[in-house]
Amino acid sequence: MNVADSQRLASAFEQLGYTASEAIENADVIILNTCMVRQSAEDKALGRLSSLKPLKIERPDLIIGLMGCMVGTKDQSVIRKKLPYVDVFAPPSDPKPIIDYLLEKELQEHDQNENPFVRQFTWESGELLLPESERRNPVSAYIPIVYGCSHACAYCIIPYKRGVERSRDPQEILDHARSLARQGVKEVTLLGQIIDRYAKDRPDYPTLAQLLEQIHEIDGIERIRFLTSHPNWMTDDLLDVVNRLPKVMRHIEVPAQAGNDVVLQNMHRGYTDAAYRALIAKIREKIPGVSIGTDIIVGFPGETEEQFEDTVSQLRDLKLNVVHLARYSPRTGTLSERTMVDDVPDSEKWRRFRVIEKLQEGIAAEIHQKLLDQTLPVLFEEKKKNRWVGRTENMDLVFVESQDDLTGKIIPVKISWTGPWTLIGTIAG
Ligand code: SAH
């Protein structure tokens, strides 16, 4: 979501006539987009931010902006006071304060006619262009369709920072997708914290299943993905559409977070281990060949060794394709931070993390091994070192050697080597 937010801001910058700077030291404007989902993300943002301070001291006319969850949607007075060298602040998914600040500055400092971009800029006029850096490799792009979140999982700070759940206007989404297609984008990924809740706040909007059908009609878009789903909101309609529409990839990201019912209840996830397992069985029945990804948090407050073992059993039984693993990190203001003790020691969180990492390495290796000698369509994105990197329909990463320019092409690849995290192949035929 932050990548999408940054792209939208960069696109607005380009419409104002700004271009990307090669080095941070040469930039007139630096915007830091921030994440707070775990302490490590917050530390990284704070570290980068303090590294910008000397630049501002050296060049007082440098404009520094802060965006994203560190700013949030609520009262900004505390953060403004704490960071006096930051000129402008913007909440997540809303670049408007930054652009308005630049517009005002331009108008103050120059005759407005000097900058034709500024003269022409209106929020409505903007085609959602990919920023120049992306346009050199316009293969895959993100489209936010649900902003914010109102679910309030006990551990999660996102609802406090990104505001209440808002579904984006379907016409705007389609315009965005068409604009991306015109720019040569082949794959779009629809984004939302709980994407399968799309239109729940707007009964007049199409459902996610219907929206996927509409995007499917757009010429030039070859692959459509969406993330992240919550188990309780996955409808049969949605699964049927994924199965039926060839451009919608057979890949579902539907996090379990834990495999023990007490932990799930403490997390306020709203389902049981049995319900999650039943859902996975249904997804697999309805969408043959589907790949499934989950998120797991280890070391949630009060998680006992036995409860953790339930999560291990769930993963061992279900053999999902991808597990995004995190160690619990208390986030100020969340329910678990306010009402529960972070009582699993860090060393134990790490141990549980490694147990699952090792288990999943074996599962992924086994799943991938079955792909050996198969020929799969791969969408190529870019050349890294001397190998082309692409993705299968199931999101598996594939490396291929080729002298040709494969950017944005979907080509059958015969898989010649498999590992737990990547595949290697040769162009077939
Ligand atoms: N709304 C999406 C994305 C949430 S953030 C979803 O529900 O999947 C991505 C992942 O970060 C979450 O799924 C969760 O596994 C993890 N996460 C969120 N808050 C966390 C916290 N306080 N500590 C550790 N991991 C966390």
Side-chain angles (χ1 to χ4, degrees):
M1 193 65 91
N2 267 352
V3 172
D5 290 350
S6 295
Q7 281 178 345
R8 177 148 182 248
L9 178 69
S11 160
F13 264 89
E14 289 195 343
Q15 289 172 57
L16 281 179
Y18 287 76
T19 55
S21 139
E22 296 295 329
I24 201 162
E25 295 76 25
N26 304 333
D28 300 314
V29 185
I30 301 171
I31 310 293
L32 196 63
N33 195 2
T34 56
C35 172
M36 286 182 82
V37 76
R38 285 179 285 277
Q39 188 64 47
S40 52
E42 198 178 339
D43 291 346
K44 198 164 141 190
L46 287 169
R48 288 301 292 274
L49 201 52
S50 61
S51 76
L52 298 181
K53 206 173 167 178
L55 292 177
K56 178 77 178 178
I57 292 168
E58 207 176 296
R59 281 195 290 133
D61 59 337
L62 169 69
I63 296 168
I64 294 182
L66 190 71
M67 181 178 173
C69 283
M70 270 177 66
V71 179
T73 55
K74 293 181 189 139
D75 181 24
Q76 294 175 359
S77 57
V78 177
I79 190 134
R80 280 176 189 271
K81 216 176 197 165
K82 223 162 77 184
L83 303 168
Y85 59 98
V86 174
D87 300 284
V88 56
F89 296 81
S93 296
D94 181 11
K96 198 164 185 299
I98 294 170
I99 298 301
D100 285 347
Y101 178 89
L102 290 177
L103 281 174
E104 203 167 304
K105 231 175 138 60
E106 288 257 1
L107 293 180
Q108 268 171 14
E109 286 171 14
H110 313 281
D111 175 357
Q112 61 169 317
N113 294 329
E114 263 178 40
N115 183 337
F117 298 101
V118 169
R119 208 174 55 230
Q120 284 158 16
F121 189 87
T122 65
W123 278 103
E124 283 72 34
S125 76
E127 172 152 320
L128 291 142
L129 292 170
L130 273 178
E132 185 67 40
S133 57
E134 296 289 325
R135 238 176 279 147
R136 268 178 249 142
N137 173 23
V139 177
S140 188
Y142 294 114
I143 304 182
I145 72 163
V146 184
Y147 296 113
C149 185
S150 300
H151 186 91
C153 299
Y155 48 82
C156 190
I157 199 165
I158 293 173
Y160 300 88
K161 295 294 174 180
R162 285 187 167 270
V164 295
E165 183 179 81
R166 284 110 54 212
S167 297
R168 189 174 174 194
D169 181 285
Q171 221 41 59
E172 203 183 295
I173 295 168
L174 290 168
D175 286 347
H176 192 170
R178 286 190 201 103
S179 153
L180 293 170
R182 277 196 295 277
Q183 295 168 69
V185 166
K186 297 288 183 287
E187 175 180 77
V188 293
T189 302
L190 311 183
L191 300 177
Q193 298 302 334
I194 301 187
I195 198 155
D196 40 350
R197 277 187 53 84
Y198 179 72
K200 289 281 180 242
D201 59 327
R202 291 295 301 256
D204 53 322
Y205 286 179
T207 62
L208 177 57
Q210 290 163 341
L211 188 66
L212 286 169
E213 300 221 40
Q214 292 171 15
I215 296 173
H216 198 267
E217 297 294 306
I218 298 174
D219 284 339
I221 300 293
E222 307 281 354
R223 287 184 169 188
I224 306 165
R225 302 182 186 277
F226 59 93
L227 46 100
T228 302
S229 299
H230 184 288
N232 290 5
W233 302 101
M234 298 228 78
T235 60
D236 288 2
D237 273 2
L238 180 59
L239 299 179
D240 289 338
V241 158
V242 175
N243 184 48
R244 182 161 49 81
L245 298 181
K247 290 181 182 177
V248 178
M249 295 295 98
R250 293 163 177 265
H251 177 80
I252 306 270
E253 289 280 345
V254 60
Q257 307 297 358
N260 173 272
D261 289 349
V262 174
V263 175
L264 282 170
Q265 198 168 14
N266 289 339
M267 287 178 162
H268 284 216
R269 287 292 288 178
Y271 52 84
T272 59
D273 169 54
Y276 185 79
R277 288 170 184 252
L279 175 69
I280 298 302
K282 183 163 88 175
I283 294 173
R284 286 176 164 162
E285 186 199 308
K286 282 196 172 281
I287 314 171
V290 70
S291 69
I292 300 174
T294 187
D295 297 3
I296 296 289
I297 298 175
V298 297
F300 186 75
E303 185 186 65
T304 64
E305 176 63 29
E306 266 186 323
Q307 290 169 338
F308 166 70
E309 282 303 324
D310 286 345
T311 302
V312 175
S313 304
Q314 184 194 76
L315 294 170
R316 190 185 293 128
D317 294 347
L318 293 180
K319 293 188 194 304
L320 302 179
N321 300 69
V322 182
V323 177
H324 307 283
L325 260 180
R327 288 160 294 127
Y328 172 72
S329 168
R331 308 284 59 216
T332 306
T334 58
L335 187 69
S336 61
E337 187 267 343
R338 283 183 283 119
T339 64
M340 302 180 88
V341 182
D342 180 20
D343 56 358
V344 180
D346 210 38
S347 57
E348 178 59 16
K349 284 179 187 166
W350 269 116
R351 192 194 65 80
R352 293 179 190 181
F353 184 98
R354 292 202 186 97
V355 167
I356 294 182
E357 195 177 45
K358 187 136 188 293
L359 169 71
Q360 189 57 31
E361 184 173 350
I363 292 170
E366 196 183 304
I367 293 172
H368 282 164
Q369 208 158 37
K370 294 183 187 136
L371 302 176
L372 198 65
D373 292 331
Q374 285 194 29
T375 299
L376 307 169
V378 173
L379 171 60
F380 287 96
E381 287 170 30
E382 56 179 337
K383 199 171 187 174
K384 269 194 187 150
K385 299 206 175 124
N386 47 17
R387 292 191 301 182
W388 284 92
V389 192
R391 297 241 176 218
T392 65
E393 298 193 347
N394 283 347
M395 270 309 264
D396 288 323
L397 205 57
V398 185
F399 292 94
V400 161
E401 273 183 39
S402 170
Q403 300 311 316
D404 302 332
D405 182 0
L406 305 182
T407 315
K409 291 189 178 138
I410 297 175
I411 296 175
V413 169
K414 188 166 182 198
I415 304 302
S416 56
W417 179 90
T418 70
W421 319 123
T422 57
L423 310 172
I424 298 176
T426 52
I427 307 284

